[in-house]
Amino acid sequence: MVHDIARSEAPSMLKEVALYTMELLAKSNVLCEQSLRTHKLFDEMMLFIVDEKSSMRLQTRSVSLLLALVSKNSVGQMLLRETGCLSILQKFFRETLTKSEIDSSNESFEEKYLLWYRVCKTLGAAVNNPQNEENQKICCSTLSHVQTLLEGCVKPEIIHPLCLFIGLSVAGNPPVQKFFTYLGGLDVLADIFTKLVGDSHQNISNTKMAVTVTIAMEACIANNPPGSIVLGKHHIVPKLLTLLFLENLDSEEKTLVLITLGCCIESCEESLCLLLQNNGLELIVDSLSESHSEIVSIVVSIVQHKCKIFADKLLIQLLAHVLQEISAMENEGQALGCLKKTKITPFKREYKEQGLETDGNVGDSLLRGNDQEKDLPKQLSDLDAQLYHLPVNDEFKSQLESPEGLESASCLSSKWEPIGRSTQKSLKEV
């Protein structure tokens, strides 16, 4: 009977009451939920949502009924996708509330916000609890709009639902985690978290929002090392320590912060170093070991394990460096040995190019003197003879017979004559 009233030609206000009654019945009774969770009802709700004649209150009630039928129910998640309601909800999520309306908070903001909030919660229920990877993949495109709404926003009514949606969308899905990180969404979360922690001492609301952002960051970096590296670059660990020891956090909230801290140091050496530099491990053990023994022990185990890996890596690098230095010293020693044993020096190569031959190393002969030094004048005389008795062809002879040729010959003679003599003289002086 209630369902018949909702789809009749009754006034909009009466339809709203009927939809609200069906929502309460679905939440309170499993049999009612099963009888309402039909393909037909999902189609009817989609028509209410897209109908331009529907009031915003009627649209909100329709979305709320879908939320009751989808929450913690894989069949409802499937029906939402197969009927096309999921795509419609994504469209409303992008268009109902814009960044400018959030910043200005005009008169229509409250009414629009209620519809937008219900849509956001329904999308979150559609992708997780239980996890639905197919719906997560479809809603992946919505994350870019989520990032746009978050940029520069510190309003709790916006941050809380968006962070909840992010956490549900990326949880347990590495491709979606990487996509959100690639978009820069994790950087935006880190910036918001940094700002909230900076103001947390003066504002309890900012402290609670910081915990909410912490949950979203943990979902993004769990089993996702690239995400942990992004948070490491933002130096999130010292800020997590600051948040962890605030007095206005309860034990459950501190546990959530500790879990995020563990995920940060598990996959990022920079975050581990920041924890140790800020004396974080000792503070955690001393302050929280009694109230959070299990979580604290897990964090301590992670730190010990990562420190061992880090130390082993440093040891391997040190050994590799030592071996490289030893190898370089050995190569240098071999090179010096070769220089001592070689019999050809640059001096000897130069003499060979000029046509001089020596029996030994010129450098050695200069040191020893004796026979090889005595042979140098004779070798230089032979070189002079070669220079003065160059073979002359017919063309060259004709040039010599002409006056110009004689002049050229004299030039040639003057050019070659000093070379042998000056060389001989200089070498004798040596």
Short mmCIF file of all heavy atoms in Angstrom, two decimals, residues 99 143-154 158-159 162-163 166 179-197 209-210 212-214 216-217 220 227 230-231 233-234 236 239:
data_model
loop_
_atom_site.label_atom_id
_atom_site.label_comp_id
_atom_site.label_asym_id
_atom_site.label_seq_id
_atom_site.Cartn_x
_atom_site.Cartn_y
_atom_site.Cartn_z
N LYS A 99 31.94 24.19 -6.50
CA LYS A 99 32.96 24.76 -5.61
C LYS A 99 32.59 26.18 -5.18
O LYS A 99 32.77 26.57 -4.03
CB LYS A 99 34.31 24.77 -6.33
CG LYS A 99 35.48 25.24 -5.47
CD LYS A 99 35.85 24.20 -4.45
CE LYS A 99 37.22 24.45 -3.85
NZ LYS A 99 37.38 25.75 -3.21
N LEU A 143 36.50 10.80 -8.76
CA LEU A 143 37.54 11.24 -7.83
C LEU A 143 38.18 12.57 -8.24
O LEU A 143 38.66 13.31 -7.39
CB LEU A 143 38.62 10.16 -7.69
CG LEU A 143 38.18 8.88 -6.99
CD1 LEU A 143 39.28 7.83 -7.04
CD2 LEU A 143 37.78 9.17 -5.55
N SER A 144 38.21 12.86 -9.54
CA SER A 144 38.77 14.15 -9.97
C SER A 144 37.93 15.31 -9.46
O SER A 144 38.46 16.36 -9.06
CB SER A 144 38.87 14.19 -11.50
OG SER A 144 37.60 14.00 -12.09
N HIS A 145 36.60 15.14 -9.45
CA HIS A 145 35.71 16.17 -8.91
C HIS A 145 35.85 16.26 -7.39
O HIS A 145 35.79 17.37 -6.82
CB HIS A 145 34.26 15.87 -9.28
CG HIS A 145 33.29 16.91 -8.83
ND1 HIS A 145 33.28 18.20 -9.32
CD2 HIS A 145 32.29 16.86 -7.90
CE1 HIS A 145 32.33 18.90 -8.73
NE2 HIS A 145 31.71 18.11 -7.86
N VAL A 146 36.07 15.13 -6.74
CA VAL A 146 36.31 15.12 -5.30
C VAL A 146 37.53 15.97 -4.97
O VAL A 146 37.53 16.77 -4.04
CB VAL A 146 36.50 13.68 -4.80
CG1 VAL A 146 36.96 13.66 -3.34
CG2 VAL A 146 35.21 12.89 -4.94
N GLN A 147 38.59 15.79 -5.75
CA GLN A 147 39.81 16.56 -5.52
C GLN A 147 39.55 18.05 -5.69
O GLN A 147 40.04 18.88 -4.91
CB GLN A 147 40.89 16.10 -6.50
CG GLN A 147 42.19 16.87 -6.39
CD GLN A 147 43.19 16.43 -7.43
OE1 GLN A 147 43.11 15.32 -7.97
NE2 GLN A 147 44.15 17.29 -7.73
N THR A 148 38.77 18.42 -6.70
CA THR A 148 38.44 19.83 -6.94
C THR A 148 37.70 20.44 -5.75
O THR A 148 37.99 21.57 -5.33
CB THR A 148 37.59 19.98 -8.21
OG1 THR A 148 38.30 19.42 -9.32
CG2 THR A 148 37.28 21.43 -8.49
N LEU A 149 36.73 19.70 -5.20
CA LEU A 149 35.97 20.21 -4.07
C LEU A 149 36.84 20.34 -2.81
O LEU A 149 36.63 21.24 -1.99
CB LEU A 149 34.79 19.28 -3.77
CG LEU A 149 33.69 19.19 -4.84
CD1 LEU A 149 32.61 18.21 -4.40
CD2 LEU A 149 33.07 20.56 -5.11
N LEU A 150 37.83 19.46 -2.66
CA LEU A 150 38.67 19.47 -1.46
C LEU A 150 39.70 20.60 -1.46
O LEU A 150 40.11 21.06 -0.40
CB LEU A 150 39.41 18.14 -1.32
CG LEU A 150 38.62 16.96 -0.72
CD1 LEU A 150 39.46 15.70 -0.78
CD2 LEU A 150 38.19 17.26 0.70
N GLU A 151 40.14 21.03 -2.62
CA GLU A 151 41.23 22.00 -2.70
C GLU A 151 40.85 23.30 -2.00
O GLU A 151 39.91 23.98 -2.37
CB GLU A 151 41.59 22.28 -4.17
CG GLU A 151 42.28 21.09 -4.83
CD GLU A 151 42.54 21.32 -6.30
OE1 GLU A 151 41.91 22.25 -6.86
OE2 GLU A 151 43.33 20.58 -6.91
N GLY A 152 41.60 23.61 -0.99
CA GLY A 152 41.39 24.85 -0.24
C GLY A 152 40.19 24.84 0.66
O GLY A 152 39.82 25.89 1.21
N CYS A 153 39.55 23.69 0.87
CA CYS A 153 38.33 23.63 1.68
C CYS A 153 38.65 23.09 3.08
O CYS A 153 39.37 22.09 3.22
CB CYS A 153 37.30 22.72 1.01
SG CYS A 153 35.76 22.54 1.94
N VAL A 154 38.13 23.76 4.10
CA VAL A 154 38.32 23.29 5.48
C VAL A 154 36.98 23.20 6.21
O VAL A 154 36.93 23.22 7.44
CB VAL A 154 39.28 24.21 6.25
CG1 VAL A 154 40.70 24.08 5.73
CG2 VAL A 154 38.82 25.66 6.20
N ILE A 158 31.95 19.32 4.38
CA ILE A 158 32.43 18.89 3.07
C ILE A 158 33.53 17.84 3.22
O ILE A 158 33.54 16.81 2.53
CB ILE A 158 32.95 20.08 2.24
CG1 ILE A 158 31.84 21.11 2.04
CG2 ILE A 158 33.52 19.62 0.92
CD1 ILE A 158 30.66 20.60 1.24
N ILE A 159 34.46 18.08 4.14
CA ILE A 159 35.61 17.19 4.30
C ILE A 159 35.19 15.80 4.78
O ILE A 159 35.67 14.78 4.25
CB ILE A 159 36.63 17.83 5.27
CG1 ILE A 159 37.31 19.02 4.59
CG2 ILE A 159 37.68 16.80 5.69
CD1 ILE A 159 38.33 19.72 5.45
N LEU A 162 33.45 13.62 1.95
CA LEU A 162 34.37 13.37 0.84
C LEU A 162 35.48 12.41 1.24
O LEU A 162 35.85 11.51 0.46
CB LEU A 162 34.97 14.69 0.35
CG LEU A 162 34.05 15.61 -0.44
CD1 LEU A 162 34.80 16.85 -0.92
CD2 LEU A 162 33.44 14.88 -1.65
N CYS A 163 36.03 12.57 2.45
CA CYS A 163 37.08 11.66 2.90
C CYS A 163 36.54 10.25 3.09
O CYS A 163 37.22 9.26 2.81
CB CYS A 163 37.70 12.17 4.20
SG CYS A 163 38.81 13.58 3.97
N ILE A 166 36.31 8.84 -0.40
CA ILE A 166 37.64 8.49 -0.91
C ILE A 166 38.12 7.17 -0.31
O ILE A 166 38.59 6.28 -1.02
CB ILE A 166 38.65 9.61 -0.58
CG1 ILE A 166 38.34 10.86 -1.39
CG2 ILE A 166 40.08 9.15 -0.88
CD1 ILE A 166 39.15 12.08 -0.98
N PHE A 179 45.51 5.62 -9.37
CA PHE A 179 44.86 6.66 -10.16
C PHE A 179 44.65 7.93 -9.33
O PHE A 179 44.95 9.03 -9.79
CB PHE A 179 43.51 6.14 -10.68
CG PHE A 179 42.70 7.18 -11.43
CD1 PHE A 179 43.06 7.56 -12.70
CD2 PHE A 179 41.60 7.78 -10.84
CE1 PHE A 179 42.33 8.52 -13.40
CE2 PHE A 179 40.86 8.73 -11.52
CZ PHE A 179 41.23 9.10 -12.80
N PHE A 180 44.20 7.76 -8.10
CA PHE A 180 43.98 8.92 -7.23
C PHE A 180 45.30 9.61 -6.89
O PHE A 180 45.37 10.84 -6.85
CB PHE A 180 43.26 8.47 -5.96
CG PHE A 180 42.85 9.60 -5.05
CD1 PHE A 180 41.90 10.52 -5.45
CD2 PHE A 180 43.42 9.75 -3.80
CE1 PHE A 180 41.51 11.57 -4.62
CE2 PHE A 180 43.05 10.78 -2.96
CZ PHE A 180 42.09 11.69 -3.38
N THR A 181 46.34 8.81 -6.68
CA THR A 181 47.67 9.38 -6.42
C THR A 181 48.17 10.13 -7.64
O THR A 181 48.75 11.22 -7.52
CB THR A 181 48.66 8.27 -6.04
OG1 THR A 181 48.16 7.55 -4.91
CG2 THR A 181 50.03 8.85 -5.70
N TYR A 182 47.96 9.56 -8.84
CA TYR A 182 48.39 10.20 -10.09
C TYR A 182 47.68 11.53 -10.30
O TYR A 182 48.28 12.50 -10.79
CB TYR A 182 48.13 9.25 -11.25
CG TYR A 182 48.39 9.85 -12.61
CD1 TYR A 182 49.69 9.98 -13.10
CD2 TYR A 182 47.34 10.28 -13.41
CE1 TYR A 182 49.94 10.54 -14.34
CE2 TYR A 182 47.58 10.84 -14.66
CZ TYR A 182 48.87 10.97 -15.12
OH TYR A 182 49.11 11.52 -16.35
N LEU A 183 46.42 11.60 -9.92
CA LEU A 183 45.65 12.84 -10.05
C LEU A 183 46.20 13.96 -9.16
O LEU A 183 45.96 15.13 -9.41
CB LEU A 183 44.19 12.60 -9.70
CG LEU A 183 43.31 11.85 -10.70
CD1 LEU A 183 41.92 11.66 -10.11
CD2 LEU A 183 43.22 12.57 -12.03
N GLY A 184 46.93 13.58 -8.13
CA GLY A 184 47.38 14.55 -7.14
C GLY A 184 46.47 14.64 -5.94
O GLY A 184 46.63 15.53 -5.09
N GLY A 185 45.52 13.70 -5.85
CA GLY A 185 44.58 13.72 -4.73
C GLY A 185 45.24 13.51 -3.39
O GLY A 185 44.85 14.11 -2.38
N LEU A 186 46.27 12.65 -3.36
CA LEU A 186 46.97 12.40 -2.10
C LEU A 186 47.75 13.64 -1.65
O LEU A 186 47.85 13.90 -0.44
CB LEU A 186 47.91 11.20 -2.27
CG LEU A 186 48.37 10.47 -1.01
CD1 LEU A 186 47.19 10.12 -0.12
CD2 LEU A 186 49.15 9.22 -1.38
N ASP A 187 48.27 14.39 -2.60
CA ASP A 187 48.94 15.66 -2.25
C ASP A 187 47.95 16.64 -1.62
O ASP A 187 48.29 17.36 -0.68
CB ASP A 187 49.57 16.28 -3.50
CG ASP A 187 50.70 15.43 -4.05
OD1 ASP A 187 51.79 15.44 -3.45
OD2 ASP A 187 50.50 14.76 -5.07
N VAL A 188 46.73 16.68 -2.19
CA VAL A 188 45.70 17.57 -1.65
C VAL A 188 45.34 17.16 -0.21
O VAL A 188 45.23 18.01 0.69
CB VAL A 188 44.45 17.55 -2.55
CG1 VAL A 188 43.31 18.35 -1.91
CG2 VAL A 188 44.76 18.12 -3.92
N LEU A 189 45.18 15.85 0.01
CA LEU A 189 44.88 15.38 1.37
C LEU A 189 46.01 15.73 2.34
O LEU A 189 45.76 16.13 3.48
CB LEU A 189 44.67 13.86 1.35
CG LEU A 189 43.38 13.33 0.73
CD1 LEU A 189 43.36 11.81 0.73
CD2 LEU A 189 42.15 13.87 1.46
N ALA A 190 47.25 15.58 1.89
CA ALA A 190 48.40 15.90 2.75
C ALA A 190 48.42 17.39 3.10
O ALA A 190 48.73 17.76 4.25
CB ALA A 190 49.70 15.49 2.04
N ASP A 191 48.11 18.24 2.14
CA ASP A 191 48.08 19.69 2.40
C ASP A 191 46.98 20.05 3.40
O ASP A 191 47.19 20.86 4.32
CB ASP A 191 47.87 20.45 1.09
CG ASP A 191 49.08 20.38 0.18
OD1 ASP A 191 50.19 20.13 0.68
OD2 ASP A 191 48.92 20.56 -1.05
N ILE A 192 45.79 19.44 3.21
CA ILE A 192 44.68 19.70 4.15
C ILE A 192 45.05 19.21 5.55
O ILE A 192 44.81 19.91 6.55
CB ILE A 192 43.39 19.01 3.65
CG1 ILE A 192 42.91 19.64 2.35
CG2 ILE A 192 42.29 19.08 4.70
CD1 ILE A 192 41.74 18.93 1.71
N PHE A 193 45.63 18.03 5.63
CA PHE A 193 46.01 17.46 6.92
C PHE A 193 47.04 18.35 7.63
O PHE A 193 46.93 18.60 8.83
CB PHE A 193 46.58 16.06 6.71
CG PHE A 193 47.02 15.38 7.97
CD1 PHE A 193 46.08 14.85 8.84
CD2 PHE A 193 48.36 15.25 8.28
CE1 PHE A 193 46.47 14.23 10.01
CE2 PHE A 193 48.76 14.63 9.44
CZ PHE A 193 47.83 14.11 10.31
N THR A 194 48.01 18.85 6.88
CA THR A 194 49.03 19.73 7.45
C THR A 194 48.39 20.99 8.04
O THR A 194 48.74 21.42 9.15
CB THR A 194 50.06 20.12 6.38
OG1 THR A 194 50.69 18.92 5.89
CG2 THR A 194 51.12 21.04 6.95
N LYS A 195 47.46 21.56 7.31
CA LYS A 195 46.79 22.78 7.79
C LYS A 195 45.94 22.51 9.02
O LYS A 195 45.95 23.29 9.99
CB LYS A 195 45.92 23.36 6.67
CG LYS A 195 45.29 24.69 7.01
CD LYS A 195 44.59 25.30 5.82
CE LYS A 195 44.01 26.67 6.17
NZ LYS A 195 43.34 27.30 5.01
N LEU A 196 45.22 21.37 9.02
CA LEU A 196 44.37 21.05 10.15
C LEU A 196 45.18 20.77 11.42
O LEU A 196 44.81 21.20 12.51
CB LEU A 196 43.49 19.83 9.82
CG LEU A 196 42.40 20.05 8.75
CD1 LEU A 196 41.75 18.74 8.40
CD2 LEU A 196 41.37 21.06 9.24
N VAL A 197 46.28 20.05 11.28
CA VAL A 197 47.12 19.75 12.45
C VAL A 197 47.74 21.02 13.00
O VAL A 197 47.87 21.19 14.22
CB VAL A 197 48.22 18.73 12.07
CG1 VAL A 197 49.21 18.56 13.21
CG2 VAL A 197 47.60 17.39 11.73
N MET A 209 38.56 16.64 12.24
CA MET A 209 38.68 16.57 10.77
C MET A 209 40.03 15.97 10.37
O MET A 209 40.12 15.23 9.39
CB MET A 209 38.52 17.97 10.16
CG MET A 209 37.10 18.44 10.06
SD MET A 209 36.93 19.90 9.00
CE MET A 209 37.73 21.14 10.01
N ALA A 210 41.07 16.29 11.14
CA ALA A 210 42.39 15.74 10.84
C ALA A 210 42.38 14.21 10.95
O ALA A 210 43.01 13.52 10.15
CB ALA A 210 43.44 16.33 11.78
N THR A 212 39.77 12.32 10.40
CA THR A 212 39.03 11.86 9.22
C THR A 212 39.93 11.82 7.99
O THR A 212 39.90 10.86 7.21
CB THR A 212 37.83 12.79 8.95
OG1 THR A 212 36.99 12.84 10.10
CG2 THR A 212 37.03 12.31 7.76
N VAL A 213 40.74 12.86 7.81
CA VAL A 213 41.68 12.89 6.68
C VAL A 213 42.72 11.78 6.83
O VAL A 213 43.15 11.16 5.85
CB VAL A 213 42.36 14.27 6.58
CG1 VAL A 213 43.38 14.28 5.45
CG2 VAL A 213 41.32 15.36 6.35
N THR A 214 43.11 11.50 8.08
CA THR A 214 44.07 10.42 8.35
C THR A 214 43.54 9.08 7.85
O THR A 214 44.27 8.29 7.24
CB THR A 214 44.36 10.33 9.86
OG1 THR A 214 44.92 11.55 10.31
CG2 THR A 214 45.30 9.20 10.17
N ALA A 216 41.38 8.57 5.43
CA ALA A 216 41.41 8.56 3.96
C ALA A 216 42.83 8.33 3.44
O ALA A 216 43.04 7.58 2.48
CB ALA A 216 40.86 9.89 3.43
N MET A 217 43.83 8.96 4.08
CA MET A 217 45.21 8.77 3.64
C MET A 217 45.65 7.31 3.84
O MET A 217 46.36 6.75 3.00
CB MET A 217 46.14 9.72 4.41
CG MET A 217 45.96 11.18 4.04
SD MET A 217 47.29 12.25 4.69
CE MET A 217 47.11 11.99 6.46
N CYS A 220 44.49 5.17 1.13
CA CYS A 220 45.19 5.42 -0.13
C CYS A 220 46.57 4.77 -0.18
O CYS A 220 47.06 4.42 -1.27
CB CYS A 220 45.34 6.92 -0.37
SG CYS A 220 43.80 7.80 -0.70
N GLY A 227 52.24 5.64 -2.87
CA GLY A 227 51.48 6.57 -2.05
C GLY A 227 52.20 6.92 -0.77
O GLY A 227 52.18 8.08 -0.32
N VAL A 230 54.77 9.56 -1.43
CA VAL A 230 54.17 10.90 -1.55
C VAL A 230 54.00 11.52 -0.17
O VAL A 230 54.36 12.69 0.05
CB VAL A 230 52.82 10.83 -2.29
CG1 VAL A 230 52.11 12.18 -2.24
CG2 VAL A 230 53.03 10.42 -3.75
N LEU A 231 53.47 10.76 0.78
CA LEU A 231 53.29 11.28 2.14
C LEU A 231 54.63 11.54 2.80
O LEU A 231 54.76 12.46 3.62
CB LEU A 231 52.46 10.31 2.98
CG LEU A 231 51.00 10.10 2.55
CD1 LEU A 231 50.27 9.25 3.58
CD2 LEU A 231 50.28 11.43 2.36
N LYS A 233 57.28 12.70 1.30
CA LYS A 233 57.75 13.99 0.80
C LYS A 233 57.07 15.16 1.51
O LYS A 233 57.65 16.24 1.64
CB LYS A 233 57.50 14.08 -0.71
CG LYS A 233 58.34 13.12 -1.53
CD LYS A 233 58.01 13.22 -3.01
CE LYS A 233 58.86 12.26 -3.83
NZ LYS A 233 58.53 12.31 -5.27
N HIS A 234 55.85 14.92 1.98
CA HIS A 234 55.12 15.97 2.72
C HIS A 234 55.44 15.95 4.22
O HIS A 234 54.87 16.76 4.96
CB HIS A 234 53.61 15.80 2.52
CG HIS A 234 53.12 16.22 1.16
ND1 HIS A 234 52.75 17.51 0.87
CD2 HIS A 234 52.95 15.51 0.01
CE1 HIS A 234 52.36 17.58 -0.40
NE2 HIS A 234 52.47 16.38 -0.94
N ILE A 236 54.69 13.78 6.64
CA ILE A 236 53.44 13.56 7.36
C ILE A 236 53.68 12.93 8.73
O ILE A 236 52.93 13.18 9.69
CB ILE A 236 52.50 12.67 6.51
CG1 ILE A 236 52.02 13.44 5.27
CG2 ILE A 236 51.30 12.19 7.32
CD1 ILE A 236 51.21 14.68 5.59
N LYS A 239 53.77 15.16 11.76
CA LYS A 239 52.43 15.74 12.01
C LYS A 239 51.51 14.69 12.62
O LYS A 239 50.64 15.02 13.44
CB LYS A 239 51.88 16.29 10.70
CG LYS A 239 52.76 17.36 10.06
CD LYS A 239 52.26 17.77 8.70
CE LYS A 239 53.18 18.80 8.07
NZ LYS A 239 54.52 18.27 7.73
#
